Every structure is written in structure tokens, then in C-alpha cells.
Amino acid sequence: MNLLSVLVFSPLVAGLIVLVLPASLQSRYKYVALAATILQVLLSVLVWVRFNPSLGGVNNEHTLQFAEKLSWIQLNVGGDSRLQIDYFLAIDGLSMPFLLLTSLVMFVAVLSSWEITTNLKGYFALFMLLDTAVMGVFTAMDFFLFYLFYELMLLPIYFLIGMWGGVKREYAAIKFFLYTLFGSVFMLLIMVGLYFSVQDPLTGDHTFNMVHMMNPANYVDGSLFAKFSGQLLLGIPARSLAFIVLFVAFAIKVPIVPLHTWLPDAHVEAPTPVSIVLAGILLKVGGYGVIRICYSIFPEAALGYAWWIGLIGVVSIIYGALNALAQRDLKRLVAYSSVSHMGFVLLGIASVTAEGISGAMMQMISHGFLSVMLFFLVGVIYTRVHDREIANFRGLSQLMPQYTFFIMVAFFASLGLPGFSAFIAEAFSLTGAFKSAGVNGLIPRWMALGGSVGILLSAAYLLWTLQRMFFGQLRLSGGEPWRLLLTDVTIREKIALVPLAAMALLLGILPGVVFTQINTSVLDLVKLVNP
Amino acid sequence: MNALITISVLAVLVLYLGLYKANKALLPVTLLGLAVALFFTINHWNVFTGPTFNDMMSYDNFAVAFSGITITSTMLILLLSKGYFEKISDHVAEYYSIILFSLAGILVMVSYHNMTMLFIGIEIMSVSLYILAGIRKQDFASNEAALKYFLMGAFSTGFLLFGVALIYGAAHSFDLEAIKMHLETNLQTGQAISPLFYTGVVLMAVGMAFKVGAAPFHFWTPDVYEGSPSLITAFMSTVVKTAGFAAFLRLFATCFYPLHDFWMPVILVITIITLFAGNITALYQNNFKRMLAWSSISHAGYMLFAIVSLGSEASYGVFVYAIAYSAASIIAFAGLVLMQANTGSDSFDSFNGLGRKNPFLAFTLTVAMLSLAGIPLTAGFIGKFIMFSNALSSMHTWLVVLAVINAVISIFYYFRVIVAMYFKDAERAELEIPLNFKVVLAISVVATILIGIWPAFLPNVI
């Protein structure tokens, strides 16, 4: 059995164990989940160590690593056509870092699930199912398989928000579900179109293999998505339309302005662990999809729309930051800061330079750790007093000194203080954006400038919040009862927070840890997109 | 062939059992007989040599596949009926035998090779259904359903028969193969095809659209489905609908295929109206049974895809879709019957809090709703996937885009059940689920998920 398969399906096994354990053991379910995530962290560290950074992957099947390919669905559907769908898992530099990110985030999310008290069996089973789906998305190399895992992520999140969420949970859950589904059903159509256009060079069957889709030579002459067939679809060149549809599907997940409105609602209503997973991993699925599918399969369309993608990135950065500035709910503030920070990912990708794409990858990983830390910290307050209005707290640093320390680390790291991962990530994305005008002329310099303004704004909203909530005289709207409830961070919370802070610091000081692993793949991707 | 005889004899036998007051033996005997019929059907697979009975019937793989689905679905529905008909009336044996007669008609409908047989099959099925719809003699809604169904059904049969007559006038034959030959030779030699023929095709399309409940000929569906006893509704919306599509597909895929360019736009328009009418109206229902009725109209729209984009995969598409749809509907109706029996209501609110009290039933209903909505890893997704890829490969891009929008709309109303079961709390008593329900639910759920994960499990039998 392949290492990736174990990584993908071990949580599922844990979920099934939770399901069959009797209800009398329900206080133990969380330990099963915890064990599964610890195992996953160990496995992904093993993958990290055994990963060979000199192999690029991307559009070359021979340099993909840990590959496992089994024939899965081979349907003879009458006539000469045969449905060829493979169970094809593999990774390259573009997906490998996400495995470690996912397993760490899941570990933290399970630790923060201690606050969940109702219907534990359902909760942990769904959580483990979600874990499997996310791991599957990052490792699948067959479009059909990718799509299945992508859709499989939706249901657990839907139930997790809907059953364990806040007051308006029903609305938030269905909004999240419909937004994402709306993007992905159209993705399904493009996927089928690609399937009819691409042939496996060995067997001659149509195939869903993504690597084959990236090679223009595998397209059937004159087919819908063949590069030079010039087919129109609904009046637009087919390949451009396909790129737009796929981009929108993933951009909803990222999310971009103006398709971001599900995010604040989902975050506010979701319980802390779900917020953690949403911010830490699911947003990255969007960015990963843009790189892996939109850019790799439709490179020329990507170049054509680079200006627009850059613009969307800048608008998201600034609009998200301005919105964060105006929020009164701490969790909403963090949610909007996510929108802002994910804008850098798009800006970096749009530049199609090695710096920009490395920066985007780094930003996704860094934001993965930092947003998880932020949401976890918000959850700490919320579980204690069930309130997170910024105005209701003041001078918390006197009451919770250790908590304030972690908040300061998270805030300063997020606003791009040198020495932390976000600084490296944003600096690289912006460098790429600056450089692009001179190298390939894809995005103008003012977009990079706009991105820098975003950093400034993020300093404004984070520092202002710090000032309002943590400094000054201790004043709580809940009075004495709150003062007793607001105890400092516990050991369990520290176990979750310390690795996150350590990762942010480590990646800030030694960014090479990530960069060396992804460099070959990033260069290959740049070469593929802009030869 | 043997299956048809078995079922007909079985129906008479069941009547005699009723006569001798052997009410306990009714269900086992019926199920046993259907199992034998199923065995004969499967045994017939891949031994097709040509039409039989003076070219009246043709038991090809298509017939085998659809007979298989309809017999299996009937068995599952009858398994749910233990103790159900007894509550309605004393004449239990009659119901079993009427359902069996209807099934015999269905078997003729899926295997005809001559338009007279199509007519006879549809009539045997329909007349039985008129009685079944009005089975609750004292109930006003049931009477209304029966009358409505009868009037509408008579109309549609009239259209169908008129179409058959006109086509006979043009092609001088009732035989599918002969009609097709007539079309092909005329098209090849450039001879004009009689206008009678075109009119006949349209009339037959209208008649068939009536029978499968496609818009704008769908108005009888919600009322009839709502008024009939729930198990009869289950039978109508799964078995009868599947049979209707099999007959529709056989007629248009084999016989009228050469005139594809002529009738395709007609069916295309019907498909689009059906999708929107079914889905949008279903959104506004507050009652589970009526929602299922409207959703069954929208599913008719998806199945019409196969006829719009006739390709090599059309029959296979309908085959998979029909299985997925039947399995999910049977679960939904089983849930409905349980809910009605226990709470006397079937509004969405009566499902509140079911997730906590009856986790198994709630889980199976969730799987059914997800499958009907076409969410991946359920059979419904595979069905829609095959339908959509079929339509895309024949370049009906707009149709697929509209269908996808409809699929998203349908999420709203299917998820209302899930929302009620899991997200809304209510004080309620646990529903009692008899063993036979558990068995049917388990079989259907396993089939739904198995086909969703591993579609190759369903071999391409056609």
C-alpha cells in the first residue's frame, strides 16, 4: 500500500472506528481522532523527508513522486468509447507542502474540538471524513478523482456548520454549500469537455488524467479544447471559457472579492475547529486548484487573463483589509483578514514569475498556520465567555498575559513583521509582481504598489485591535463573572499554539525549508505556463 | 418471456389465495413468484436471437435490463407493504394481483416490437393503476386522484393511439423494424415522407410525455401522486416511470431515429420546460410527498436527456439513472410511509429532530436526498454524470448548462429534509421501524452508495 493512500484513508478508518465504538465510550472519541491526526503528522513528515526536491513533476508523469495508479472505473459504455478513470495519487513540489500543512492543521483542529460537547460520534466521524477528502484533493492526479474529493469536502463542512454552529447556522451552511457547489457543477462540465478532448497516448482511450491534459499533444485534433482548433463555446473561445469557469470555481473557495460573502458568515457561525479547517486548509484548496488545474491545463488563457487575475488579487487585498478595519466582531475581523491575505496568493500567481509563484505557495502555507492560530485564539475567548465583540473587552493583557503573548505573535506575524513567514511570503509575491512588468509584462507595477498598501492596512487593523482589546485599563462588559471565566491559556491550548507559532517563526527565519522543496516544481510550472 | 407468463399466472394465483382467505401467504407467494420471474429475466440475458411471436415482442438485452429493474423495484415496494394494505381495506389479495397485472403490462412495454403491443402494454399497466390510485374508496383525495388519472390517462392514450394510426397510414406497418426501414428507404431515395408520419410522431411524443409526466403534460402528476396511497405513489413514480422511459426510448431510439433532426427540437423544448417546471415548483412545497411528486417531474427531465442526445450510451444512461432514481425514491417513500403512519403528517416540520431519534432512518433519507440531488459518491451523481457527458458529447451545451442550474436549484428543496432532520430540534418520539423497512432501506442505501463509489459494479448489460 502506497504512503499517500495510507495518508488519505487513515482518517477514514479512524472515523469508522468512532462510528462503531459504543456510545458509552464517547468521551474517548476525541482520542481516536487525535491519534489519527498524530499518525498523519508523522506520515507527512516522512513524506517530507523522503521527498526528492530535484524532481519537478507538474506536467511530467515520470517525475511525480509517491505515485500510485490503479485502474478504477473502466466502463464499456457501448460503441468504441470507454470510460477510463484512474485511482491516481501522486505529489510534486506544488502539493507536498500542503500535506504537512493539512495534517498539522487537522491536529490543531482536533485539539480545539475539546469544546464540542454534543453528538460527539457524528462530529468526529464527519471530521475524519473531511480530513480524508482534503488529503485526497491535494494528492489526486486524476481530474475525476480530484472532483470527487473536492465535492466530498462540502458535505462534512455543511453538517459541521449546520449542526454545531451558531444561531444563524442554517443560513451560513447552505450559503457555503451553494456557493461552492455552484462553482463546482460548472467545473464538472469543463471536466467532461476535457475528457472528450484528451486521449491517453498509450491506450488511445479518453482519459481524466490531469498530466495528460497538460500536454497539448494529447488533445484530439479538432476537439473542443484542442489548442489550435479555435472552437467557440457559447460565443467565446472554448479554452478561454473553460479557464474562466474553472477559475471562478476555485476563486469562490479562495475567496476573491466579490465572491467572498459566504466566508464571513460561515466563519462567524462555525464552531472554532471548523473555522480552523476552513481558513487553514479549504481556502488553500482554491489556490492549489488555480495553480494545479487552471494554470497548468490552460496556460495560454491564464496568460491572457493575467491582468484581470492580478486586479482581482489587489482588489481582494485592499477590500478585505478595509472591511477588516470596520468589523466589530473579532472573528469577522479575522475572516476578512483572510480575504485580504489570500489576495497576495492571486497576485503572486498572476505574475507567473518564479518569485511570485513561490511567494504565493509560501503565503498559502504561512497563512495556513497563522489564520489557524488566529481562529484558535478567538475560540479561546469565545469558549470562555461566549462573546467576541471587540468593544466588550479591554485591557486583557493584565488578565491573560500568556494569551496576550500568543495574540501578539499571531498579529505581528500576520501583519508581515520580518522574521515571520508572512513577511517572506508577501515580500516574494510583491517582488514577483514588480518583476513581472519587466520580464513578461503580464501585470503592471501599480498592482504591486496596491498590494503594499494592503500590508499597511493590515498593520492598521491588527494593531488597532491589539490596542483596543489588550491594552489599557481592564474593563469587561460582563463584569466580575467574566473576569473569573477568562482564565489564561491551558496546557492543551499551548500544545496547539506552540507548534503553529514555531512554524511561523521557522519559515520566517529559514524559508529555504520550503523553497528548496518546491523550487524545481515552481520553475517547471513557470516554464509550462510561459515557455 | 417466461417472466411475463410467470407474473400473469402469479397474479391469478394470488387472487385464488385471496379467495381461500390465505391472507398470510399473499406476500411470501408474491415475492417468491417475482423472484422466479427475476431469475427467468436474468437467464434471458445475451440469448437474444430476434423478435418472437410473429415479431410482436423482442426480448433483447434492453428488455432484460429494464424488466430486471422494474421487477426488483416492485419486490422492494411490496416488501414495504406488509400490513399496509390491510389498513386500507379487507380485499388485500386484489391489490397484490392488480400490482402484478400492472407489472405484466410493464414487461410488455419494455419489450414490444410492434406498436399494438406498446398500446396493449400501456393499457394493461394504466387500467391497473387507475384502480390502484383509487384504492381508498372512502377517501376523497384518493377518488379525485383516480378520476384525474383516468381522464388524463385516457386522453394521453388517445393521442398515442391516434399517432399509431397515422403512422400506420404512412408506413403501412405497426412493426418497429418495418417502420424504420420505410423511413430509411424514403430518406435514401429522396422520396417525401408523408405528413401523416410527422403528425404521428408528434402525437406519439405527446402521448409518451403524458405517461412519463413530462411538462407541459405533467399537471396530473402532483395531484395523483398526492392523492394515491403512498406505496402506490412509490410504485408509480419508480416502476411506472422507468417503464415509461424504456418504452419512450425504444420507440424513438430504434424506430424514429432516422427522423432525429425533426423531433429532437420538440423533445429538447419538453426537456427544458420539464426541468424548470419540476424544480421551481418543488421549491415551494411544504409537504414531503408533494415535493417528491414535483421532483419526480424534474427527474423525468433529466431522463429525457437520453432521448435528446441519442448516442451509443443513451440506453445505458437511462438504465443507470433509473436504478439510481428508483433506489433513492424507494428510500424516500419508505421514510414517508413511516412518517405518515407514526405522526399522521408529512410536512417538512414533521421531520424535525429525526437525526437524533432515528439515526439510521435519518442517515438513509440523507443518502437518498443526496442521491436525488446528484451529489458525488452516490448513484444519482453517476446517473447525472453519464447523462450530462452524453449530452455534451452531442454538443447540447446550453441544455447541459440549464440542467446544471436546475441541479443547483434542486439542492434547496432536497436539503430542506436534511436541515429538518439534523439542524432543527424538536421533542419527538422515536419512530418504530419494522424489520421489513430496515431491510429495504439497507438494500437501497447499499446499492446507492456502491454504485456511487464503484459504478463498474453495474455492468453494461445493454
Side-chain angles (χ1 to χ4, degrees):
Chain A
M1 190 113 175
N2 186 291
L3 199 53
L4 293 182
S5 293
V6 178
L7 200 55
V8 171
F9 290 107
S10 58
L12 192 66
V13 173
L16 290 177
I17 292 174
V18 167
L19 276 184
V20 295
L21 280 182
S24 56
L25 289 175
Q26 65 169 345
S27 57
R28 303 292 159 82
Y29 293 160
K30 54 192 176 199
Y31 295 109
V32 176
L34 195 65
T37 48
I38 290 176
L39 174 74
Q40 220 179 9
V41 172
L42 295 178
L43 285 174
S44 44
V45 168
L46 186 65
V47 169
W48 183 290
V49 172
R50 284 174 47 186
F51 184 80
N52 181 353
S54 62
L55 296 176
V58 190
N59 60 342
N60 183 348
E61 209 171 323
H62 302 295
T63 52
L64 287 172
Q65 303 184 41
F66 301 97
E68 179 172 27
K69 195 174 181 179
L70 298 170
S71 165
W72 173 33
I73 302 176
Q74 290 275 5
L75 281 181
N76 245 330
V77 277
D80 52 351
S81 57
R82 214 159 55 122
L83 205 58
Q84 183 189 337
I85 302 173
D86 291 331
Y87 173 79
F88 183 17
L89 298 183
I91 55 169
D92 59 13
L94 299 176
S95 42
M96 195 272 297
F98 292 113
L99 299 185
L100 190 61
L101 175 73
T102 305
S103 46
L104 265 177
V105 170
M106 280 295 173
F107 168 71
V108 174
V110 169
L111 275 183
S112 82
S113 301
W114 256 242
E115 60 166 280
I116 303 288
T117 48
T118 53
N119 196 356
L120 291 172
K121 180 172 262 188
Y123 178 84
F124 283 106
L126 285 170
F127 217 84
M128 292 290 103
L129 181 65
L130 177 63
D131 195 350
T132 290
V134 174
M135 279 292 181
V137 165
F138 285 128
T139 51
M141 281 289 160
D142 184 279
F143 207 156
F144 193 89
L145 190 65
F146 175 89
Y147 183 81
L148 285 188
F149 281 126
Y150 188 82
E151 291 278 281
L152 188 61
M153 290 191 312
L154 282 184
L155 278 178
I157 292 266
Y158 172 75
F159 281 106
L160 286 171
I161 296 179
M163 292 173 75
W164 289 272
V167 186
K168 277 167 54 191
R169 53 179 195 249
E170 232 176 86
Y171 168 76
I174 196 78
K175 190 170 179 184
F176 162 79
F177 194 87
L178 285 174
Y179 255 93
T180 319
L181 190 76
F182 198 76
S184 61
V185 284
F186 286 103
M187 174 156 85
L188 175 71
L189 300 189
I190 301 299
M191 180 177 101
V192 175
L194 275 169
Y195 165 76
F196 284 119
S197 306
V198 178
Q199 272 181 334
D200 188 325
L202 289 177
T203 59
D205 289 330
H206 290 300
T207 177
F208 282 104
N209 188 320
M210 283 198 233
V211 180
H212 290 323
M213 289 178 179
M214 293 175 200
N215 183 356
N218 291 336
Y219 284 78
V220 182
D221 277 335
S223 61
L224 188 58
F225 290 128
K227 209 161 183 176
F228 302 109
S229 72
Q231 296 254 20
L232 293 182
L233 206 59
L234 315 180
I236 307 175
R239 282 181 70 89
S240 301
L241 183 75
F243 176 79
I244 295 172
V245 168
L246 290 177
F247 180 76
V248 168
F250 291 122
I252 290 171
K253 268 250 151 67
V254 169
I256 60 163
V257 175
L259 301 173
H260 67 286
T261 56
W262 62 269
L263 181 96
D265 285 318
H267 272 307
V268 169
E269 299 307 325
T272 307
V274 179
S275 278
I276 286 174
V277 175
L278 263 179
I281 310 172
L282 291 204
L283 308 190
K284 278 77 212 171
V285 170
Y288 172 75
V290 170
I291 294 179
R292 166 75 66 206
I293 292 177
C294 297
Y295 267 66
S296 306
I297 297 182
F298 299 102
E300 79 294 342
L303 290 180
Y305 291 107
W307 192 87
W308 289 102
I309 296 169
L311 182 72
I312 291 170
V314 175
V315 170
S316 300
I317 293 173
I318 294 180
Y319 183 85
L322 288 176
N323 258 299
L325 211 48
Q327 296 309 317
R328 283 179 298 198
D329 180 323
L330 186 59
K331 205 170 183 186
R332 260 191 124 80
L333 180 138
V334 177
Y336 273 108
S337 85
S338 289
V339 176
S340 175
H341 284 136
M342 290 304 286
F344 285 99
V345 175
L346 283 184
L347 191 61
I349 294 175
S351 73
V352 198
T353 53
E355 292 88 345
I357 292 181
S358 308
M361 289 289 293
M362 190 60 154
Q363 174 73 341
M364 286 198 263
I365 297 158
S366 146
H367 180 256
F369 291 125
L370 291 174
S371 64
V372 167
M373 205 169 158
L374 286 171
F375 278 115
F376 190 90
L377 286 165
V378 174
V380 167
I381 291 200
Y382 186 74
T383 40
R384 284 173 177 52
V385 294
H386 292 281
D387 192 293
R388 41 175 195 244
E389 280 287 306
I390 295 173
N392 289 348
F393 301 89
R394 205 170 167 78
L396 277 178
S397 63
Q398 296 162 30
L399 198 58
M400 309 166 78
Q402 295 181 20
Y403 179 76
T404 311
F405 167 75
F406 281 114
I407 274 276
M408 281 172 71
V409 171
F411 275 18
F412 280 113
S414 299
L415 63 81
L417 192 75
F420 287 106
S421 53
F423 168 72
I424 304 285
E426 286 165 12
F428 268 72
S429 313
L430 291 178
T431 312
F434 262 118
K435 192 181 154 199
S436 163
V439 189
N440 48 25
L442 288 176
I443 51 176
R445 291 216 164 83
W446 62 262
M447 285 188 185
L449 278 179
S452 331
V453 174
I455 300 187
L456 212 63
L457 286 171
S458 76
Y461 63 76
L462 287 171
L463 292 180
W464 191 33
T465 310
L466 198 63
Q467 220 172 27
R468 282 183 290 171
M469 284 183 77
F470 294 92
F471 299 150
Q473 276 293 309
L474 179 66
R475 219 169 53 223
L476 302 167
S477 79
E480 189 61 19
W482 275 27
R483 211 179 64 77
L484 295 176
L485 285 172
L486 283 169
T487 49
D488 217 334
V489 281
T490 63
I491 296 281
R492 173 181 64 80
E493 286 158 351
K494 276 185 210 157
I495 294 176
L497 287 167
V498 168
L500 294 170
M503 286 306 287
L505 196 63
L506 176 75
L507 296 182
I509 298 170
L510 293 171
V513 179
V514 172
F515 284 148
T516 48
Q517 300 275 352
I518 64 174
N519 196 33
T520 321
S521 299
V522 168
L523 291 176
D524 279 2
L525 178 74
V526 172
K527 214 185 298 166
L528 170 71
V529 176
N530 195 4
Chain B
M1 171 59 235
N2 293 332
L4 182 56
I5 296 173
T6 315
I7 290 174
S8 311
V9 171
L10 185 64
V12 178
L13 178 70
V14 166
L15 268 185
Y16 271 100
L17 283 179
L19 207 59
Y20 292 107
K21 307 273 179 248
N23 279 359
K24 281 234 179 322
L26 287 175
L27 185 62
V29 169
T30 315
L31 287 177
L32 196 69
L34 285 177
V36 172
L38 188 63
F39 170 76
F40 281 136
T41 305
I42 294 168
N43 225 6
H44 225 285
W45 185 57
N46 259 352
V47 293
F48 178 62
T49 46
T52 44
F53 291 126
N54 298 322
D55 294 351
M56 282 289 175
M57 310 282 275
S58 101
Y59 292 98
D60 48 9
N61 283 344
F62 182 89
V64 169
F66 284 97
S67 309
I69 304 179
T70 47
I71 296 176
T72 315
S73 307
T74 312
M75 284 170 78
L76 288 176
I77 291 170
L78 284 177
L79 203 53
L80 293 179
S81 72
K82 189 177 168 219
Y84 184 82
F85 295 122
E86 282 85 340
K87 280 184 214 146
I88 298 173
S89 152
D90 305 328
H91 308 285
V92 187
E94 280 80 349
Y95 305 142
Y96 285 102
S97 82
I98 293 172
I99 288 182
L100 288 173
F101 276 129
S102 164
L103 187 61
I106 282 166
L107 253 51
V108 176
M109 272 171 78
V110 300
S111 50
Y112 67 95
H113 194 261
N114 188 302
M115 289 203 180
T116 47
M117 290 313 286
L118 168 67
F119 176 72
I120 291 171
I122 286 185
E123 278 303 276
I124 298 176
M125 177 195 79
S126 301
V127 172
S128 317
L129 286 177
Y130 302 148
I131 306 169
L132 285 173
I135 208 166
R136 277 193 299 224
K137 266 189 288 188
Q138 312 298 328
D139 183 56
F140 184 70
S142 188
N143 289 339
E144 182 198 336
L147 187 64
K148 222 172 210 170
Y149 197 21
F150 173 66
L151 289 177
M152 289 296 193
F155 256 114
S156 70
T157 319
F159 276 115
L160 194 77
L161 202 54
F162 195 20
V164 172
L166 288 178
I167 286 172
Y168 181 76
H172 317 296
S173 174
F174 288 127
D175 189 81
L176 297 192
E177 205 52 47
I179 296 171
K180 190 179 180 189
M181 286 299 290
H182 167 80
L183 281 179
E184 275 172 352
T185 42
N186 274 25
L187 286 173
Q188 270 166 13
T189 55
Q191 259 179 305
I193 296 166
S194 158
L196 290 181
F197 198 97
Y198 291 105
T199 324
V201 170
V202 173
L203 285 173
M204 287 196 82
V206 169
M208 292 310 295
F210 256 116
K211 287 291 169 199
V212 297
F217 313 106
H218 65 288
F219 289 102
W220 59 273
T221 324
D223 293 335
V224 172
Y225 280 17
E226 197 186 6
S228 311
S230 294
L231 271 185
I232 303 300
T233 313
F235 183 73
M236 287 199 279
S237 80
T238 55
V239 181
V240 173
K241 197 156 258 203
T242 307
F245 270 100
F248 205 159
L249 190 64
R250 187 183 271 269
L251 189 64
F252 280 77
T254 58
C255 185
F256 298 154
Y257 184 69
L259 279 186
H260 187 252
D261 293 336
F262 163 70
W263 52 259
M264 197 276 287
V266 179
I267 308 279
L268 186 69
V269 172
I270 291 181
T271 309
I272 293 171
I273 302 176
T274 308
L275 281 175
F276 276 98
N279 272 315
I280 293 178
T281 325
L283 271 184
Y284 294 98
Q285 305 305 320
N286 284 319
N287 157 313
F288 188 54
K289 196 172 178 185
R290 227 177 148 79
M291 182 277 274
L292 285 177
W294 284 101
S295 99
S296 86
I297 294 174
S298 77
H299 283 284
Y302 292 116
M303 288 204 246
L304 280 172
F305 266 61
I307 297 169
V308 171
S309 48
L310 280 180
S312 51
E313 298 171 28
S315 320
Y316 180 66
V318 175
F319 176 65
V320 175
Y321 203 103
I323 293 178
Y325 169 73
S326 303
S329 297
I330 288 173
I331 299 175
F333 278 104
L336 176 72
V337 169
L338 282 174
M339 188 56 72
Q340 282 177 331
N342 280 272
T343 65
S345 154
D346 64 338
S347 68
F348 286 124
D349 288 337
S350 58
F351 286 85
N352 286 359
L354 195 68
R356 200 159 294 233
K357 286 287 179 193
N358 291 74
F360 174 68
L361 178 63
F363 170 73
T364 53
L365 274 173
T366 307
V367 172
M369 291 299 124
L370 296 178
S371 180
L372 289 173
I375 302 292
L377 295 181
T378 58
F381 171 72
I382 301 293
K384 280 207 174 69
F385 178 75
I386 294 173
M387 288 295 184
F388 289 177
S389 12
N390 250 338
L392 276 181
S393 72
S394 58
M395 299 304 278
H396 289 104
T397 317
W398 269 115
L399 175 66
V400 180
V401 170
L402 291 177
V404 160
I405 292 173
N406 271 287
V408 177
I409 297 176
S410 72
I411 301 279
F412 273 104
Y413 56 84
Y414 288 128
F415 272 50
R416 282 178 75 176
V417 186
I418 300 178
V419 166
M421 288 191 300
Y422 286 105
F423 300 174
K424 290 185 178 157
D425 273 330
E427 282 305 310
R428 66 172 311 133
E430 193 181 329
L431 299 186
E432 257 191 58
I433 308 178
L435 181 67
N436 54 334
F437 274 75
K438 281 187 185 148
V439 171
V440 173
L441 288 173
I443 292 174
S444 310
V445 161
V446 168
T448 304
I449 295 179
L450 200 59
I451 296 171
I453 292 176
W454 193 44
F457 159 75
L458 260 190
N460 190 1
V461 293
I462 300 172

